[in-house]
Amino acid sequence: MTTRRTRPVPRPPEGTPPPAELARQARTVLADAVRIARWAAVERDRDRHRGPDALSATERAAAALGLTAGQVRAGWDRARLAGLVELHGDTARPGWRLRAWDRDDSAVLRGWVALFDAWSLVHPAPADVAPAAVAEVVEAVPQVLSLLQLSAGPVPVPALLDLLRQRVAELREERCEVPEGPQPVVATAPESLARLLDWALEGLAAVGALTLGDGQATLTPLGNWAVWVKLEQICVAAQSPAGHIEQSAEDMLRGCARLTPGPARVEYRAWLAARPVGSAVTELLAVARGEDALLRGLAFEALRVVGAPAESEVRAAADEVCLRPYALLWLAEYEGADPEDAQDVLTREEATWLWVDTAAAVADHGESTLLVRHLESAVQGTVPALLDEVRAVDHPRTVQVLVALAAAHPDPALAKAVRRAAFQVHTGGA
């Protein structure tokens, strides 16, 4: 047994309102977005029973809610960014946060943080400024927010501009950028940087993270809390016990394969905290699409730690054969099903495919006794029935799994039947 010093549970900065009050403020910021999302949910049901309307959805929403068309479009964008609505192709449907909005403060705060993270999409950048300069400012804004939090009060805009100028210079130096030839004036001119700072501050004010006035900026309680949350995530990432933070998703998962579930979840959290959640989810799903079945299962364990932000991509992954059983189980547990009952969402064919995939993971990484034990977990009542259904699901590893199972099983008669099934799959026989 070993003991490890644990970090005490972090507390928000003194003066931070309780979660219920922060959630109330977040609901105020997103009030129009919620109204529009709820209106769209009702209209979606009505549209199933009536023909197309002469008026556009924007005009109908504006008339019904007493908003301008511009306010409706802005509210709709916020609803999407906050996860209140989800787009599936050309179809919009209510998001899980909308259903939980009135009863779940944590869902409200997560929705607001998603909007906060997307501040640069809420307020369009000046069209005449180079995209590279805009990207630099977006990357530098966390330092601006940190200064605002440390100051615990109003900060003059010129002081923020000095910090922004310094941070942009550091970013260019970190990239080892050496100017060659004439540079675009728009990307380096001081007046452009000042305009971009104004744009960033206005964007952050638009999502309720700060207030502007008298040439200075001040974090709101929501903004102050959000910056603290982000800093805590960085601290968590810096304390990864097994040191997988800077590795790729595949290498991280391979390292976690040696850990028990509890420590593995600690590693997943640290790895996730060190990178944008969207790219992390994409990287995990890319590993899940690979040939290693063990990593496929571990990738979805890591996605369980991600939770709500992974829902849309996991839901889309359910359309892919190799990911479908894992995605359906993830969604069932996410929606509240007990893990032991979640298997009920799978069809017999999907459950069989998952059985073969899990057997492939055991064959590649486990002991032969585990593979024999895995035979007992099959949903089919008899081995002949299992073999018939295994052959039918057309898993790419079927032959290897059956060969490994035949070699591991102590019953000669059963091993012979399994070997025969493997041969039939390999030759395409009946």
Side-chain angles (χ1 to χ4, degrees):
M1 294 289 290
T2 60
T3 58
R4 185 193 306 165
R5 293 179 61 188
T6 58
R7 185 168 177 257
V9 177
R11 295 186 177 182
E14 187 176 351
T16 301
E21 172 58 20
L22 289 172
R24 187 196 65 77
Q25 295 177 17
R27 287 185 175 98
T28 300
V29 172
L30 284 161
D32 281 352
V34 170
R35 292 178 66 206
I36 291 166
R38 285 176 171 162
W39 177 88
V42 173
E43 288 299 295
R44 176 171 174 263
D45 292 335
R46 287 176 179 169
D47 287 342
R48 293 171 179 167
H49 306 290
R50 70 183 183 194
D53 199 304
L55 291 174
S56 70
T58 300
E59 292 172 315
R60 282 189 282 147
L65 302 174
L67 302 172
T68 67
Q71 288 173 323
V72 170
R73 284 190 289 269
W76 181 253
D77 284 342
R78 288 168 174 241
R80 288 193 300 110
L81 294 171
L84 297 169
V85 293
E86 299 171 357
L87 297 183
H88 299 266
D90 296 330
T91 303
R93 69 183 187 192
W96 73 273
R97 286 187 181 129
L98 184 63
R99 297 189 291 271
W101 196 253
D102 292 331
R103 57 180 169 77
D104 189 342
D105 288 346
S106 63
V108 172
L109 290 173
R110 287 196 297 269
W112 182 84
V113 169
L115 181 67
F116 169 73
D117 288 340
W119 68 266
S120 60
L121 303 178
V122 172
H123 191 60
D128 58 343
V129 177
V134 173
E136 287 177 336
V137 168
V138 171
E139 191 173 356
V141 157
Q143 279 66 36
V144 173
L145 290 168
S146 294
L147 174 60
L148 284 165
Q149 191 204 39
L150 288 171
S151 301
V155 178
V157 172
L160 297 176
L161 181 58
D162 287 342
L163 175 62
L164 180 64
R165 188 178 293 114
Q166 176 183 341
R167 182 55 184 153
V168 167
E170 290 172 352
L171 290 171
R172 292 175 181 173
E173 185 176 346
E174 289 170 5
R175 291 194 296 266
C176 299
E177 290 187 359
V178 179
E180 295 182 4
Q183 299 298 302
V185 176
V186 71
T188 57
E191 61 271 17
S192 294
L193 203 56
R195 288 178 61 206
L196 285 173
L197 175 61
D198 289 341
W199 161 71
L201 295 177
E202 290 166 2
L204 290 162
V207 300
L210 54 80
T211 57
L212 298 171
D214 298 326
Q216 57 192 18
T218 309
L219 283 178
T220 64
L222 269 176
N224 189 61
W225 169 79
V227 175
W228 172 77
V229 167
K230 299 299 179 183
L231 291 174
E232 278 302 309
Q233 289 176 344
I234 294 172
C235 291
V236 169
Q239 296 190 10
S240 164
H244 298 302
I245 294 172
E246 297 182 359
Q247 296 180 343
S248 67
E250 180 172 348
D251 290 341
M252 181 272 293
L253 292 172
R254 289 193 188 282
C256 290
R258 302 187 300 270
L259 303 176
T260 55
R265 281 192 291 271
V266 172
E267 287 301 301
Y268 301 151
R269 291 191 184 97
W271 186 86
L272 290 162
R275 46 193 43 79
V277 66
S279 61
V281 170
T282 299
E283 194 175 346
L284 288 169
L285 286 173
V287 175
R289 294 184 180 95
E291 296 181 358
D292 195 322
L294 175 65
L295 296 188
R296 187 160 24 256
L298 292 177
F300 276 86
E301 288 301 316
L303 288 168
R304 284 177 172 83
V305 174
V306 177
E311 182 194 5
S312 60
E313 287 203 53
V314 172
R315 201 172 290 281
D319 293 331
E320 303 177 42
V321 173
C322 71
L323 303 184
R324 182 170 176 78
Y326 295 95
L328 291 178
L329 291 175
W330 189 99
L331 290 167
E333 292 177 29
Y334 170 72
E335 291 169 356
D338 187 285
E340 294 183 1
D341 299 329
Q343 293 277 347
D344 296 341
V345 304
L346 302 181
T347 65
R348 183 70 163 254
E349 183 178 5
E350 290 161 352
T352 302
W353 198 100
L354 181 60
W355 185 91
V356 178
D357 208 48
T358 306
V362 175
D364 289 343
H365 301 277
E367 300 176 0
S368 58
T369 53
L370 293 177
L371 190 60
V372 174
R373 206 175 307 158
H374 182 60
L375 182 63
E376 300 171 2
S377 69
V379 296
Q380 294 78 5
T382 65
V383 170
L386 169 65
L387 296 177
D388 286 343
E389 294 188 30
V390 163
R391 286 181 295 196
V393 298
D394 198 27
H395 190 289
R397 295 290 304 280
T398 298
V399 172
Q400 294 95 322
V401 164
L402 293 178
V403 169
L405 181 58
H409 207 284
D411 184 335
L414 190 148
K416 181 179 179 180
V418 174
R419 274 195 300 273
R420 185 185 306 115
F423 178 77
Q424 291 172 342
V425 173
H426 178 63
T427 59

